[in-house]
Amino acid sequence: MDKLQAFIFDLDGVITDTAEYHYLAWKALADELGVSFSRELNEELKGISRMDSLDKILEFGQKGAEFTTEEKEKLAKKKNEHYVLLIKKISPSDILPGIEKLLTDIKSAGLSLALASASKNATMVLEALNLKQYFDVIVDVNTLKKGKPDPEIFLRAAELLNVQPENCIGVEDAIAGVDSIKDAGMFAVAIGPEHLFPRADIVYQTTNDLSYNDLIGKFLNR
Ligand code: B16
Ligand code: MG
């Protein structure tokens, strides 16, 4: 049936901006390892899992072959401990503009809501933002085989909500995330510069431009 049933949100970069904290924690680790790491490279890590991010950083620093899997797990753990300390500062004032209004409008319309974040810290961040109560489902990334851009995370969200993928709107800020939504057969909303998202059904420059009525209109006229 062709009707809207659910919204499935990414977290980092859509609901709150944790990219800077990921950057600072990766930067400290990269400095320690003597590999260069820039904000530009950090952009490429958006939506990418922790271990895949570490692999990219090591490859970029030409140190990809220098560490065993066990050593890499220790490095990723160290980055995460630093990241968790940094995100202790997160509070409801860090919710990106327009997001809480949209979540309220979605729930008032009786639609379902899920979180499809690649972050293992997602529940903690939602709690710190005081937004957890809006979500019917938070996908547990530990139960997934593949990360974004694979569609598994968005398909799992739809399955847990018991809705059809074609009746879902996915909201993302990463190219890998938009690929994941589209390959799941869903309607994709991207946040960011238009030229980055040729596969998105709608692109909004910032979360402040999101509007429930506009989104519904565009979904129904697709
Ligand atoms: P963690 P999202 C992603 O979250 C981030 O964009 C990405 O930079 C990060 O590496 C990934 O989560 C894993 O995060 O280390 O906390 O498990 O954008 O999918 O909400
Ligand atoms: Mg994101």
Side-chain angles (χ1 to χ4, degrees):
M1 208 173 52
D2 201 21
K3 64 166 185 148
L4 183 59
Q5 294 183 295
F7 274 78
I8 306 175
F9 276 75
D10 173 47
L11 176 67
D12 291 341
V14 171
I15 292 176
T16 190
D17 190 7
T18 47
E20 182 63 16
Y21 298 126
H22 280 296
Y23 169 74
L24 292 172
W26 282 127
K27 175 75 177 140
L29 185 75
D31 286 350
E32 211 176 290
L33 298 173
V35 302
S36 70
F37 182 62
S38 60
R39 285 179 198 279
E40 288 69 41
L41 183 56
N42 192 54
E43 285 299 304
E44 287 180 37
L45 305 182
K46 285 187 176 173
I48 306 292
S49 77
R50 196 181 305 163
M51 277 311 271
D52 288 348
S53 299
L54 176 63
D55 282 337
K56 276 195 179 234
I57 292 167
L58 293 177
E59 260 168 48
F60 186 77
Q62 292 174 332
K63 294 211 176 196
E66 284 184 25
F67 301 94
T68 62
T69 306
E70 208 172 78
E71 286 167 336
K72 284 200 283 187
E73 270 160 14
K74 279 193 188 141
L75 293 175
K77 185 166 178 267
K78 192 168 193 180
K79 178 267 174 179
N80 189 55
E81 282 166 0
H82 188 182
Y83 176 72
V84 167
L85 278 183
L86 293 172
I87 61 173
K88 290 259 185 276
K89 298 179 207 151
I90 289 182
S91 75
S93 66
D94 294 303
I95 300 169
L96 285 171
I99 290 294
E100 196 156 13
K101 166 88 174 72
L102 180 59
L103 297 179
T104 311
D105 289 345
I106 291 166
K107 294 315 285 179
S108 305
L111 300 174
S112 300
L113 197 45
L115 191 80
S117 167
S119 174
K120 293 184 178 171
N121 298 298
T123 301
M124 187 169 68
V125 172
L126 272 191
E127 278 168 352
L129 296 170
N130 199 20
L131 291 180
K132 190 164 168 266
Q133 67 280 7
Y134 287 102
F135 290 85
D136 303 296
V137 156
I138 298 171
V139 177
D140 177 1
V141 270
N142 296 301
T143 66
L144 302 174
K145 291 192 187 74
K146 292 183 178 169
K148 298 170 189 176
D150 191 275
E152 186 181 16
I153 189 166
F154 282 91
L155 288 173
R156 179 69 59 80
E159 187 189 321
L160 292 170
L161 288 173
N162 201 19
V163 296
Q164 295 305 310
E166 63 271 26
N167 298 341
C168 295
I169 295 181
V171 190
E172 262 288 350
D173 71 313
I175 298 164
V178 169
D179 285 340
S180 179
I181 295 172
K182 291 309 295 175
D183 291 341
M186 298 178 184
F187 185 87
V189 177
I191 311 291
E194 184 143 20
H195 70 273
L196 287 183
F197 302 104
R199 293 191 72 195
D201 295 289
I202 318 179
V203 183
Y204 293 105
Q205 207 141 13
T206 71
T207 55
N208 216 2
D209 305 319
L210 285 163
S211 132
Y212 178 78
N213 288 334
D214 184 44
L215 276 172
I216 300 300
K218 288 190 167 130
F219 176 85
L220 294 175
N221 291 314
R222 69 198 184 282

